[in-house]
Amino acid sequence: MRDMVVLLNLDNDVSCSVAKKLRSEHLYCKLLPGSATAEEVLSQEAMGVLLCGAGTGEPVQIPELSRLTRCGLPLLALGDAALTLCEHLGGTVTHESSAPAVRPVRFSGDGSLTRDVQDGERYLPARCSLHLSGADAVTVASTDTGAVGFRVLDRPIYGLAFEPEQNDPDGVQLLLNFCRHICGCTLWWSSQAFIARATQEIERLADGGEAICAVSGGVDSAVCALLGNMALGHRLHCIFVDTGLMRKGEGDRVMDYFQNQVGLNIRRIGASAEFLAALRDTRTSGERQRAVFALLRSILRREVGQLENVRLILQGTNYADTLDSEPVCPLELTGAKTRIVEPVRELFKDEIRDVGQELQLPAALCQRQPFPGSGLALRITGEITRERLQLLREADAIFCQEIEASGQNKRLFQYYATLSGDPDTEAGFVVTLRAVQVVGGSSAIASRLPSDLLERVTERILTALPEVRRVVYDLTPSRSFRTWRSA
């Protein structure tokens, strides 16, 4: 058995929240899709299973539930998954109201799960009660109108019809109790443990051969490069493709750190002319992303072909990337003797940053704000030209300098400029400024920056860039966090 639990993702927000809570408490967990088969779950050799459902008050589809309840592993169903589990076990769910409410919850009936958990008020997104035969199950959590949590008597199977809330010590304690006292997991997960395991795995898979890692300037690929360097030294060949689509000075900073400070075996490939040609006649973001990624694949295939004995390609896919309908990372360079390894695939962005800090990655790279894989091409409306890219780079740099000098960057998730034609004149351009902050863990809203800051930015841009005729600030209402993640 592996010292971990498996989380079945039946609701992404809840699953990610639970996973982050467990890992922050040094308990390792692996996220699998809600559609995962029992064989896929059991192949992980985990010590328990968590079914992470939302809180709509309606049962959720869990295709393999019957087999999971009979596999012998401890199982805890949360939120809507607990309703499904209750009905699967022959019980019923009574809906009192679909309106959310804060209600007092009492814990009882099972010392292992509810150890050190205090009675108190909890937010219940939907008011319902679970009813199971007394001979089959006992209540472990209840409100004044009925059970909201239960334990099956003859098997280590539990259900709680609510989710651990943000900043919820008792919710975390319930998860800890399940993982530690029921599953038998130990507290071993940490950034240091991840680094040790990742470097050992890279060295094992390389099997004496060489590896390639494409460095983009982002924290994901940077961490992969540092892990590969620890494992393989100069047998790792890092490639930095300078697309000409990066922010001001970014390419030089990347090369200075990896080549001069770390001593990485890295080569810079100047390809700005190739990317400009590939972007000619593209208009939509999808067209531009496909054009950039296709050229990146072509260049990297060319580089791989020039090296002998390459066994691995290190790729910086993170967990959020796996949720996209189209892969964010464009590198699909498989061959007879090469395989793709994704060292940070199971990590969230903040966990990757923690690993980066442990590896002493500079703050400029470790805390780099989200940037699209196709770079500034996604932030220009109209034709992509060398001149327009330079205009946008300068305007973006001015905005970022003023944001950082004022300290506003400490509360912002992302801040950047975009460029478009001025509708009032054929010769001029409009720079649009955008700054967003995260609220509630899963959404982003436009930040209300101080007016004097915006005035300084506007004056500097108009003075330095006479081609720019207008500067505006985008206050578009809230959009989902994942929408802005790669904007």
Side-chain angles (χ1 to χ4, degrees):
M1 300 290 283
R2 296 173 63 193
D3 197 343
M4 58 176 275
V5 293
V6 165
L7 272 62
L8 281 194
N9 185 351
L10 304 169
D11 178 87
N12 190 59
D13 286 343
V14 174
S15 299
C16 291
S17 174
V18 170
K20 289 178 180 180
K21 284 180 170 64
L22 289 177
R23 292 180 187 176
S24 70
E25 296 291 336
H26 306 293
L27 285 158
Y28 182 60
C29 57
K30 184 170 184 177
L31 278 155
L32 293 182
S35 59
T37 65
E39 287 80 7
E40 290 170 331
V41 173
L42 292 174
S43 70
Q44 302 299 320
E45 299 181 348
M47 301 176 75
V49 179
L50 272 160
L51 307 179
C52 299
T56 67
E58 296 295 332
V60 62
Q61 291 294 319
I62 310 176
E64 296 285 290
L65 181 58
S66 178
R67 300 180 67 187
L68 290 172
T69 57
R70 291 185 281 107
C71 71
L73 290 177
L75 183 147
L76 171 61
L78 298 173
D80 294 342
L83 313 186
T84 305
L85 177 62
C86 176
E87 292 182 346
H88 172 76
L89 295 172
T92 58
V93 178
T94 301
H95 292 84
E96 305 164 36
S97 169
S98 59
V102 175
R103 307 178 68 185
V105 174
R106 299 180 299 277
F107 294 95
S108 61
D110 183 88
S112 297
L113 184 66
T114 60
R115 181 187 302 181
D116 299 324
V117 177
Q118 303 297 315
D119 296 347
E121 293 185 337
R122 304 196 68 82
Y123 175 77
L124 302 180
R127 298 171 60 182
C128 56
S129 298
L130 312 178
H131 306 277
L132 278 163
S133 167
D136 299 323
V138 295
T139 298
V140 296
S142 60
T143 66
D144 54 354
T145 57
V148 291
F150 62 87
R151 171 178 67 92
V152 176
L153 289 173
D154 59 350
R155 288 172 287 174
I157 294 176
Y158 301 78
L160 295 172
F162 52 84
E163 314 147 13
E165 301 168 33
Q166 295 293 327
N167 305 314
D168 177 10
D170 285 322
V172 172
Q173 189 63 49
L174 287 166
L175 296 174
L176 286 172
N177 288 344
F178 175 73
C179 294
R180 297 194 65 191
H181 304 312
I182 297 170
C183 300
C185 296
T186 59
L187 307 179
W188 66 271
W189 174 256
S190 65
S191 294
Q192 297 93 326
F194 167 79
I195 291 168
R197 285 162 55 103
T199 51
Q200 290 169 8
E201 184 70 359
I202 291 170
E203 186 174 13
R204 182 184 71 81
L205 293 173
D207 192 24
E210 300 181 338
I212 281 181
C213 180
V215 175
S216 67
V219 65
D220 301 341
S221 64
V223 166
C224 287
L226 293 177
L227 291 172
N229 189 51
M230 289 178 65
L232 306 175
H234 273 228
R235 286 190 288 140
L236 174 71
H237 301 267
C238 291
I239 300 171
F240 171 52
V241 180
D242 190 344
T243 63
L245 303 173
M246 300 183 76
R247 289 167 287 202
K248 186 176 181 178
E250 203 162 27
D252 292 338
R253 289 193 294 271
V254 169
M255 287 301 295
D256 177 67
Y257 172 70
F258 284 116
Q259 190 170 56
N260 301 331
Q261 299 182 45
V262 178
L264 218 61
N265 179 16
I266 186 170
R267 189 156 69 90
R268 183 177 191 169
I269 299 173
S272 58
E274 292 180 72
F275 280 92
L276 276 175
L279 289 165
R280 189 178 296 121
D281 299 326
T282 61
R283 290 294 180 266
T284 69
S285 60
E287 289 175 348
R288 291 175 177 177
Q289 182 166 288
R290 286 189 291 273
V292 169
F293 286 177
L295 183 53
L296 273 174
R297 281 194 293 268
S298 175
I299 291 172
L300 290 163
R301 284 196 189 99
R302 183 176 70 204
E303 295 302 314
V304 170
Q306 296 176 3
L307 295 170
E308 299 178 1
N309 200 29
V310 172
R311 302 286 179 84
L312 298 180
I313 295 166
L314 303 185
Q315 184 166 296
T317 308
N318 63 40
Y319 181 72
D321 294 337
T322 68
L323 303 176
D324 291 325
S325 56
E326 295 184 9
V328 171
C329 194
L331 314 181
E332 300 171 357
L333 305 172
T334 55
K337 296 182 180 180
T338 62
R339 63 183 297 179
I340 290 177
V341 178
E342 300 170 315
V344 298
R345 182 183 178 89
E346 295 179 16
L347 301 189
F348 302 101
K349 183 68 80 173
D350 53 352
E351 293 176 322
I352 298 173
R353 290 195 176 102
D354 289 342
V355 172
Q357 290 174 352
E358 190 69 30
L359 294 170
Q360 298 184 333
L361 191 66
L365 290 174
C366 204
Q367 299 300 325
R368 183 194 195 228
Q369 50 175 310
F371 191 61
S374 41
L376 296 179
L378 257 64
R379 295 179 179 172
I380 294 178
T381 301
E383 184 182 1
I384 307 294
T385 66
R386 195 178 305 276
E387 293 72 26
R388 291 182 179 187
L389 285 166
Q390 185 59 24
L391 269 179
L392 179 55
R393 252 190 292 273
E394 294 296 333
D396 185 77
I398 290 170
F399 186 40
C400 291
Q401 288 165 10
E402 290 292 344
I403 287 279
E404 289 155 15
S406 67
Q408 292 288 328
N409 58 305
K410 297 175 182 177
R411 68 182 184 89
L412 296 177
F413 168 66
Q414 194 175 27
Y415 45 97
Y416 57 91
T418 64
L419 186 74
S420 60
D422 187 343
D424 293 338
T425 174
E426 294 182 2
F429 294 94
V430 176
V431 167
T432 300
L433 309 175
R434 174 76 173 173
V436 296
Q437 60 194 78
V438 176
V439 293
S442 61
S443 62
I445 62 169
S447 178
R448 299 184 183 278
L449 295 179
S451 58
D452 60 333
L453 169 62
L454 294 173
E455 288 169 1
R456 284 197 305 275
V457 173
T458 300
E459 182 180 359
R460 284 189 60 188
I461 290 175
L462 293 176
T463 300
L465 307 170
E467 302 94 330
V468 175
R469 305 297 174 84
R470 186 181 301 179
V471 178
V472 298
Y473 185 64
D474 182 1
L475 275 172
T476 304
S478 175
R479 296 176 64 183
S480 75
F481 174 80
R482 288 188 61 227
T483 299
W484 290 109
R485 180 178 56 80
S486 59

